[in-house]
């Protein structure tokens, strides 16, 4: 009996980046050299361990007929083989670097291909892998080419001498776990596979090896200087600029510069002896100037997002159409910057950023966050053995992406602690590319970086930093500040981003930030709708923390994205007072306002009565002007009137059509008339009922039973909301996690004690006490009903009793209506949801929706769908007016059922529509990974009084 010695899998636990591959170089989409995509259906075999099978499958003639198939690009765990794993920062294997578990899912991939008849017979060829997670060994026609790590980075092999006209056998063995996994702990699904393109590239004799396009811009002279360095001699032509110059030689000509707002690209060609490579050249200069990040001599303000690559069916295997859809959505929502968290994206994404205009912080494929569990002991970035792998990752990012004008900062990675390896990376990048800045949030003293970066800093701390009162090293105090992550968009939220934006626009040192993050990483599931951590039986997982995006998994914009678009709009429209004028401020960094068309409209009780164009000068960046509005129309009297001023695209652009809305603002012209109901009716007792005007009540309990012909059930004070992810907070937060405290106090199970039912001469008064079991705290609540014969008014008075150490989630009433109630009309904020610190995008107007449409489909169900600043609402034959304005939500399940649900599929409609009419809500905040609501958005337990007026309304047809 012989023992099988594991010798062929040692590379898995090697801290070196691999062997056999070519040096990194610039990526380009096309040239006149031949290429062959090897994407498609591959034969596939999954093994439980790295050494379960020998290497025979790589030999020509191997019979893989019994194997299954998978799509490449793709992840095998999303194609029925194994299961995904989600952790935020915990490694899903024992931390024993560089060792990995014996249980190491390993996928053998086979692709047999023929060369096209037109494939050139001379020259060489390169086999390129754009992304494989996490470690791969490659054979072609039985020859071992090598192995590599670095999942989100390209690797190329020279293969020209191995190619055959037909029957080429490409074999790739992919291991889920490797030493490289310790460097890729990036708060996302662990998804093994060949998930980016595989391409065969002909390399003609004299073809391009590598090239670096230097295209700077002198904003004083209005000139650009172009120099293209190439590993092989050649010539560069740019017809539109009349440029024809040898590689390595600079040339200076007048140009239009590239910016994210004005992404001017010039088409050029790099021609060598054997190849012609198209170039897209953007002239721009990035610098640190007087402690600020400048492009082309001007400071910029990041209005950005962090973007993981994600697709709900395909994971990180994205197609070009999905990438373009992302960039178009960003541009249409006023976003101007992307941090590629936490790895370089598919290179085609950067081409789109060049073309359509986005600032890019290009981040290295590096995160070792799991080592925080052991106080960063044995962290690879401070272990010299790992430095070659770190430098390889930095080089593969920089060399691949160096020719993209959109990339203006290199980022060393994310949440990897500190150490000598990071310093080595920074030194190498600074030496290789002096035309960009270097970023890394973990470098708190800015020893190696050019930007002071933080994540989830509180508003007060951001203001202190803006005022220069934050301390730190002398170097740090002289650097610009950005929030590389803020506004954690998990579930309902993020709240408080308008308050951040005011700070960004107030203090020059603060140059904006990047919302976390772009899209929810939900995996489409027939049973659950969208699955998240724990839904695949993981022994360690972080639940729905992976669903924290401004887009839902299917790329539907969330209310958070609509809010962010409003908060960061590039034109500020401000009321100039009673004179009927507005101030228009241009908040663009580079563009004037000539591309926008402005208009005004006048609304009476939410309906537009007159509108027209508004002449606004083509203000330059930073300029403002006061613009006179027309006289209010004659019929703008008698109701609540106001102005709306809008800015929209004047013509079609590459990213949105003409009339696409860019900015808007609303201003009151006359106040809302008060809601008055003269109490003329007397409560009348008949049998077991009390009638008052159009209403009927239970004589014993005082409970409302009907208004006119509309049945009403369960009307009572309601203080509970299904906690949002931000209510629940994060375990590492030092601030109170109010969602947990609310439940501990028992606000989800309030008891309602009836104290008195008191019919009077002009009112029916019902006195109650609302309190949780096991607590002495309570809310003395009085319902006072009056009527003028046709209208019914309810005045609710609430007085806290005992100690209330926490704010309330909500305060209002809840009632049930028959299930036939489906359509809602209202005058108030809309069309989407809004809460105290998330309602910047809530437009005052008249809106209509179904009950189903009022729901916001957060992946983990939670409080949602409230419409803010409502004057009146009509539903199910009832009209409700508020005094003062109120929030309303309507759903076919109770708040308690919403609270118990873990997925949307848990929510099945009942035959009752539950309507919440809220006087107030607690703010949302961003405590799922950041600060909670600011104090001004707290709903404190204190005496309050509010009223609603009910009238039977015409039912919608």
């Amino acid at each position: 009996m012989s023992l099988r010695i594991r010798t062929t899998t040692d590379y898995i636990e090697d801290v070196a980046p691999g062997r056999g591959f070519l040096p990194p170089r610039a990526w380009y989409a096309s040239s006149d050299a031949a290429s062959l995509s090897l994407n498609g259906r591959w034969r596939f075999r999954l093994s439980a361990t790295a050494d379960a099978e020998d290497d025979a499958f790589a030999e020509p003639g191997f019979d893989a007929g019994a194997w299954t198939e998978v799509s490449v690009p793709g992840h095998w765990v999303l194609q029925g083989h194994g299961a995904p794993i989600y952790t935020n920062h915990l490694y899903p294997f024992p931390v024993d670097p560089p060792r990995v578990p014996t249980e190491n899912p390993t996928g053998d991939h086979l692709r047999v291909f023929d060369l096209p008849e037109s494939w050139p017979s001379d020259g060489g060829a390169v086999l390129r892998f754009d992304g494989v997670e996490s470690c791969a060994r490659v054979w072609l026609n039985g020859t071992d080419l090598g192995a590599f790590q670095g999942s989100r980075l390209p690797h190329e092999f020279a293969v020209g001498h191995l190619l055959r006209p037909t029957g080429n056998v490409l074999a790739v063995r992919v291991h889920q776990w490797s030493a490289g996994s310790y460097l890729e702990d990036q708060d996302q699904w662990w998804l093994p596979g060949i998930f980016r393109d595989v391409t065969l590239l002909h390399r003609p004799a004299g073809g391009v090896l590598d090239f670096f396009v230097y295209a700077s811009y002198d904003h004083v002279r209005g000139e650009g200087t172009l120099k293209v360095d190439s590993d092989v001699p050649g010539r560069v032509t740019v017809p539109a600029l009349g440029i024809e110059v040898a590689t390595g030689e600079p040339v200076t000509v007048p140009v239009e510069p590239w910016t994210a707002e004005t992404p001017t690209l010039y088409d050029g060609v790099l021609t060598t002896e054997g190849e012609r490579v198209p170039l897209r050249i953007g002239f721009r200069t990035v610098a640190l100037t007087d402690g600020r990040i400048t492009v082309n001599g001007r400071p910029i303000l990041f209005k950005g997002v962090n973007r993981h690559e994600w697709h709900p069916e395909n994971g990180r295997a994205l197609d070009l159409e999905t990438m373009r859809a992302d960039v178009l959505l960003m541009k249409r929502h006023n976003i101007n910057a992307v941090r590629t968290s936490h790895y370089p994206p598919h290179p085609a994404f950067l081409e789109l950023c060049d073309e359509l205009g986005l600032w890019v912080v290009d981040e290295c494929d590096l995160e070792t966050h799991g080592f925080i569990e052991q106080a960063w002991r044995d962290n690879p970035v401070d272990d010299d053995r790992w430095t070659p792998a770190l430098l390889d990752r930095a080089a593969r990012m920089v060399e691949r992406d160096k020719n993209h004008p959109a990339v203006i900062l290199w980022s060393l990675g994310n949440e990897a602690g500190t150490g000598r390896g990071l310093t080595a990376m920074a030194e190498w990048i600074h030496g290789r590319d002096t035309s960009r800045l270097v970023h890394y949030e973990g470098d708190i003293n800015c020893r190696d970086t050019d930007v002071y970066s933080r994540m989830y800093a509180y508003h007060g701390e951001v203001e202190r930093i803006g005022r220069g009162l934050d301390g730190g090293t002398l170097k740090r105090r002289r650097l610009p500040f950005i929030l590389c992550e803020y506004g954690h968009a998990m579930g309902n939220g993020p709240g408080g981003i308008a308050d951040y934006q005011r700070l960004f626009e107030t203090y020059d040192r603060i140059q904006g930030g990047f919302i976390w993050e772009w899209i929810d990483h939900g995996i489409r599931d027939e049973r659950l709708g969208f699955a998240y951590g724990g839904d695949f039986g993981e022994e360690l997982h972080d639940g729905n923390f992976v669903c924290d995006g401004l887009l839902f998994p299917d790329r539907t914009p969330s209310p958070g994205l609509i809010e962010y678009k409003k908060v960061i709009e590039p034109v500020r429209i401000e009321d100039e007072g009673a004179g009927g004028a507005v101030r228009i401020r241009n908040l663009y960094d580079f563009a004037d306002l000539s591309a926008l068309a402005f208009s005004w409209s006048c609304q009476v009780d939410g309906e537009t009565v007159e509108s027209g164009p508004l002449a606004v000068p083509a203000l330059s960046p930073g300029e403002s002007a006061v613009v006179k509005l027309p006289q209010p129309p004659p019929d703008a009297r008698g109701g609540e009137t106001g102005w709306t001023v809008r800015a929209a695209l004047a013509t079609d652009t590459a990213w949105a059509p003409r009339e696409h809305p860019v900015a808007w603002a609303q201003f009151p012209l006359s106040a809302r008339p008060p809601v008055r109901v003269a109490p003329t009716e007397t409560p009348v007792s008949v049998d077991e009922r009390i009638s008052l005007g159009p209403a009927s009540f239970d004589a014993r309990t005082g409970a409302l039973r009907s208004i006119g012909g509309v049945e009403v059930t369960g009307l009572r004070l309601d203080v509970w909301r299904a906690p949002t992810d931000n209510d629940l907070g994060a375990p590492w937060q030092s601030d109170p996690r109010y969602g947990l405290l609310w439940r501990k106090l028992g606000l989800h199970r309030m008891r309602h004690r009836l104290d008195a039912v008191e019919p009077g001469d002009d009112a029916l008064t019902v006195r109650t006490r609302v309190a949780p079991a096991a607590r002495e705290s309570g809310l003395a609540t009085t319902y006072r009903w009056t009527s003028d014969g046709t209208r019914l008014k309810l005045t609710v008075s609430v007085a806290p009793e005992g100690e209330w150490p926490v704010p309330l989630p909500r305060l209002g009433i809840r009632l049930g209506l028959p299930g036939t109630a489906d359509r809602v009309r209202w005058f108030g904020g809309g069309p989407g949801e809004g809460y105290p610190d998330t309602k910047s995008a809530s437009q005052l107007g008249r809106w209509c929706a179904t009950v189903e449409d009022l729901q916001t489909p957060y992946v983990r169900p939670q409080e949602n769908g409230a419409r803010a600043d409502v004057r009146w609402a009509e539903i199910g034959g009832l009209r409700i007016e508020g005094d003062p304005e109120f929030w309303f939500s309507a759903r076919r399940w109770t708040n308690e059922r919403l609270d118990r649900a873990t997925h949307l599929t848990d929510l099945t409609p009942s035959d009752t529509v539950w309507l919440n009419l809220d006087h107030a809500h607690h703010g949302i905040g961003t405590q799922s990974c950041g600060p909670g609501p600011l104090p001004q958005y707290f709903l404190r337990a204190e005496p309050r009084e509010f009223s609603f007026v009910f009238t039977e309304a015409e039912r919608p047809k």
Side-chain angles (χ1 to χ4, degrees):
M1 180 177 178
S2 62
L3 294 177
R4 184 178 181 186
I5 306 299
R6 271 194 358 168
T7 58
T8 59
T9 60
D10 292 345
Y11 60 91
I12 298 172
E13 295 179 343
D14 191 345
V15 298
R19 60 175 176 80
F21 43 77
L22 297 170
R25 65 186 182 116
W27 187 94
Y28 50 93
S30 63
S31 76
D32 64 351
S35 66
L36 176 65
S37 172
L38 298 178
N39 295 346
R41 300 293 289 176
W42 289 48
R43 289 289 183 177
F44 176 77
R45 175 181 65 188
L46 181 64
S47 302
T49 65
D51 58 355
E53 301 287 348
D54 60 26
D55 305 341
F57 81 104
E59 296 294 332
F62 179 84
D63 183 5
W67 290 20
T68 186
E69 288 188 341
V70 294
S71 291
V72 172
H75 306 278
W76 70 69
V77 294
L78 297 182
Q79 301 182 61
H81 308 283
I85 301 170
Y86 168 61
T87 60
N88 168 24
H89 73 276
L90 297 174
Y91 289 106
F93 48 79
V95 179
D96 182 23
R99 305 298 300 277
V100 295
T102 300
E103 297 82 5
N104 189 353
T106 295
D108 290 334
H109 299 69
L110 270 180
R111 176 79 151 86
V112 179
F113 65 93
D114 300 335
L115 295 179
E117 291 184 3
S118 59
W119 191 266
S121 58
D122 61 333
V126 165
L127 176 65
R128 183 173 68 204
F129 295 87
D130 282 316
V132 182
E133 184 174 333
S134 73
C135 175
R137 187 178 177 191
V138 185
W139 297 262
L140 181 63
N141 292 328
T143 298
D144 181 1
L145 300 180
F148 61 88
Q149 300 174 22
S151 297
R152 270 68 70 172
L153 297 162
H155 294 83
E156 293 182 331
F157 297 91
V159 297
H161 60 295
L162 299 174
L163 289 174
R164 305 168 180 173
T166 61
N168 291 282
V169 178
L170 176 57
V172 185
R173 174 164 284 171
V174 180
H175 309 281
Q176 175 153 22
W177 309 123
S178 68
S181 300
Y182 286 99
L183 305 180
E184 297 174 2
D185 188 22
Q186 290 136 325
D187 184 12
Q188 59 182 340
W189 294 98
W190 299 88
L191 298 174
I194 305 172
F195 68 95
R196 286 185 183 161
D197 304 288
V198 182
T199 311
L200 183 67
L201 302 166
H202 177 240
R203 306 310 305 137
V208 176
L209 298 179
D210 189 21
F211 63 97
F212 199 154
V213 176
Y214 299 91
S216 62
Y217 179 71
D218 185 329
H219 65 278
V220 175
R221 301 172 62 89
E223 293 177 333
T225 298
L226 175 66
K227 180 167 76 82
V228 179
D229 287 345
S230 174
D231 285 1
V232 295
R235 297 196 65 78
V236 176
T237 56
V238 187
L241 298 176
I243 290 176
E244 184 172 354
V245 65
T247 54
E249 294 184 7
V251 59
T252 300
V253 294
V255 298
E256 293 295 323
W258 187 97
T259 74
E261 296 165 7
T262 57
T264 301
L265 292 173
Y266 292 93
D267 290 326
V269 178
L270 167 60
T271 304
T272 67
E273 178 184 352
E275 190 174 11
R276 289 170 52 87
V277 178
L279 306 177
R280 303 206 77 190
I281 303 165
F283 292 88
R284 55 104 185 97
T285 294
V286 182
L288 273 180
T289 308
D290 298 327
R292 302 175 76 183
I293 303 168
T294 60
V295 178
N296 303 335
R298 294 184 183 179
I300 62 174
L301 187 65
F302 292 116
K303 302 171 181 179
V305 292
N306 287 274
R307 175 186 176 269
H308 269 297
E309 294 181 307
W310 188 250
H311 187 282
E313 288 95 22
N314 303 326
R316 287 187 287 278
L318 297 190
D319 55 53
L320 182 61
E321 291 73 20
T322 298
M323 290 184 270
R324 179 174 288 274
D326 277 349
V327 175
L328 292 178
L329 276 171
M330 290 176 189
K331 295 289 290 187
R332 291 169 184 172
H333 288 86
N334 294 330
I335 290 165
N336 71 359
V338 178
R339 176 180 176 227
T340 68
S341 54
H342 299 292
Y343 43 81
H346 190 291
F349 179 79
L350 297 180
E351 290 196 317
L352 292 167
C353 294
D354 293 341
E355 173 192 339
L356 297 170
L358 287 171
W359 309 119
V360 174
V361 179
D362 198 354
E363 193 145 89
C364 194
D365 189 9
L366 174 62
E367 181 167 334
T368 63
H369 199 178
F371 284 90
I372 197 173
E373 293 294 312
Q374 54 201 56
W376 297 105
R377 187 176 64 256
D378 300 327
N379 186 7
V381 305
D382 200 29
D383 183 334
D384 292 338
R385 295 176 302 161
W386 294 79
T387 299
L390 301 180
L391 290 172
D392 179 76
R393 288 170 183 250
R396 290 187 181 280
M397 170 183 69
V398 171
E399 301 296 2
R400 191 196 78 168
D401 297 341
K402 61 197 172 192
N403 295 325
H404 290 286
V407 177
I408 62 171
L409 278 84
W410 301 116
S411 180
L412 302 181
N414 183 68
E415 292 178 319
T418 58
R420 291 163 288 176
L422 288 165
T423 298
M425 293 170 68
E427 290 175 348
W428 184 89
I429 293 173
H430 276 123
R432 176 59 174 145
D433 181 16
T434 60
S435 69
R436 295 176 174 93
L437 307 178
V438 172
H439 165 275
Y440 176 62
E441 182 268 342
D443 185 8
I444 193 68
N445 291 319
C446 302
R447 180 183 65 178
D448 301 321
T449 55
D450 304 309
V451 180
Y452 178 29
S453 176
R454 290 286 306 283
M455 54 175 68
Y456 307 110
Y458 284 51
H459 296 79
E461 182 182 1
V462 172
E463 182 164 21
R464 288 193 299 274
I465 292 170
R467 295 173 63 190
L469 303 177
D470 56 305
T473 62
L474 178 62
K475 180 184 179 183
R476 192 181 86 181
R477 296 198 306 272
R478 291 176 173 174
L479 292 180
F481 175 77
I482 64 171
L483 276 171
C484 67
E485 294 178 22
Y486 81 109
H488 197 251
M490 185 177 177
N492 189 332
I497 56 174
D499 304 278
Y500 275 115
Q501 191 66 23
R502 281 189 284 272
L503 296 173
F504 299 165
E505 295 176 9
T506 299
Y507 297 101
D508 289 345
R509 183 189 181 191
I510 305 173
Q511 294 196 250
F514 298 79
I515 293 289
W516 185 268
E517 65 165 307
W518 178 237
I519 187 169
D520 288 343
H521 300 197
I523 295 176
R524 194 179 298 279
D525 184 274
E526 291 183 3
R527 182 174 59 89
L528 301 174
F530 290 108
Y532 49 77
D535 288 335
F536 298 96
E538 304 101 304
E539 61 181 7
L540 284 178
H541 67 86
D542 286 280
N544 69 311
F545 200 71
V546 76
C547 293
D548 46 14
L550 294 170
L551 297 181
F552 296 125
D554 63 0
R555 283 184 160 70
T556 300
S558 77
L561 181 57
I562 307 305
E563 175 80 356
Y564 193 41
K565 175 184 178 179
K566 173 60 181 169
V567 166
I568 61 174
E569 59 190 12
V571 179
R572 190 75 72 235
I573 306 168
E574 301 165 328
D575 190 4
E576 277 291 298
V582 293
R583 180 174 294 276
I584 309 294
R585 298 184 184 274
N586 181 355
L587 301 185
Y588 283 112
D589 294 323
F590 296 93
D592 63 26
L593 299 188
S594 60
L596 301 181
F598 289 78
S599 62
W600 64 270
S601 59
C602 184
Q603 287 79 37
V604 177
D605 290 334
E607 292 190 308
T608 297
V609 295
E610 195 167 338
S611 62
L614 185 66
V616 174
L619 299 169
S620 296
E623 289 186 339
S624 70
V626 175
V627 178
K628 189 76 172 177
L629 294 172
Q631 290 295 314
D635 51 355
R637 300 170 187 167
E640 181 179 5
T641 60
W643 297 106
T644 300
V645 177
R646 302 181 187 276
L649 291 180
T651 59
D652 292 346
T653 70
W655 49 270
R658 177 178 175 270
E659 298 184 350
H660 168 78
V662 173
W664 59 272
Q666 294 182 308
F667 312 105
L669 187 57
S670 64
R672 175 191 179 201
V675 180
R676 293 193 175 94
V677 176
T680 61
E681 298 296 298
T682 299
V684 177
S685 297
V686 178
D687 297 329
E688 296 180 353
R689 295 295 176 106
I690 297 175
S691 62
L692 177 63
S696 173
F697 300 83
D698 185 288
R700 185 180 62 85
T701 64
L704 178 66
R705 295 305 184 201
S706 64
I707 301 174
V710 180
E711 294 183 2
V712 178
T713 60
L715 188 147
R716 56 172 37 175
L717 189 77
D718 195 6
V719 299
W720 180 248
R721 71 184 188 196
T724 68
D725 291 311
N726 286 305
D727 290 337
L728 295 173
W732 54 85
Q733 297 294 340
S734 58
D735 285 354
R737 298 168 65 189
Y738 287 117
L740 302 182
L741 294 176
W742 292 337
R743 197 179 301 278
K744 182 178 180 181
L745 186 60
L747 300 189
H748 62 304
R749 46 175 176 79
M750 300 292 274
R751 303 292 190 264
H752 297 253
R753 186 185 74 203
L754 178 63
D755 289 341
V757 178
E758 301 172 349
D761 291 339
D762 61 357
L764 172 63
T765 303
V766 180
R767 304 186 189 279
T768 69
R769 188 175 190 270
V770 183
R775 304 286 178 176
E776 64 176 357
S777 304
L779 301 170
T781 305
T782 301
Y783 307 92
R784 187 172 188 272
W785 299 93
T786 58
S787 177
D788 62 3
T790 58
R791 295 184 294 170
L792 179 70
K793 182 176 182 180
L794 167 62
T795 300
V796 182
S797 302
V798 180
E801 298 177 342
E803 292 188 3
W804 282 87
V806 297
L808 297 173
R810 69 170 356 124
L811 182 66
I813 61 170
R814 177 175 67 181
L815 64 147
L817 298 176
T820 53
D822 182 56
R823 299 197 66 81
V824 186
R825 297 177 60 245
W826 74 97
F827 172 29
E833 72 181 27
Y835 290 82
D837 55 348
T838 68
K839 63 174 186 172
S840 299
S842 184
Q843 298 186 48
L844 183 62
R846 292 200 186 194
W847 310 101
C848 182
T850 64
V851 171
E852 180 181 359
D853 290 340
L854 291 175
Q855 315 311 308
T856 304
Y858 296 114
V859 174
R860 185 193 72 81
Q862 56 198 274
E863 167 61 36
N864 73 89
R867 268 54 179 182
D869 302 317
V870 176
R871 279 68 169 155
W872 56 257
E874 293 181 353
I875 178 173
L878 278 186
R879 179 183 175 95
I880 305 115
E881 298 175 83
D883 183 17
E885 292 79 27
F886 61 101
W887 275 266
F888 88 85
S889 55
R891 51 181 68 101
R892 297 186 182 277
W893 39 79
T894 63
N895 295 329
E896 290 76 16
R897 281 188 57 203
L898 181 63
D899 184 16
R900 292 192 296 269
T902 60
H903 295 84
L904 290 172
T905 50
D906 295 334
L907 295 169
T908 54
S910 70
D911 56 3
T912 300
V913 171
W914 292 99
L915 182 65
N916 272 95
L917 308 174
D918 293 313
H919 171 63
H921 264 271
H922 186 63
I924 297 296
T926 181
Q927 201 175 354
S928 54
C929 191
L934 287 166
Q936 61 263 37
Y937 304 118
F938 276 39
L939 175 51
R940 304 188 188 279
E942 56 192 21
R944 294 176 183 264
E945 184 172 280
F946 50 93
S947 298
F948 299 102
V949 175
F950 300 88
T951 312
E952 195 170 6
E954 181 180 350
R955 294 178 182 268
K957 298 180 181 179

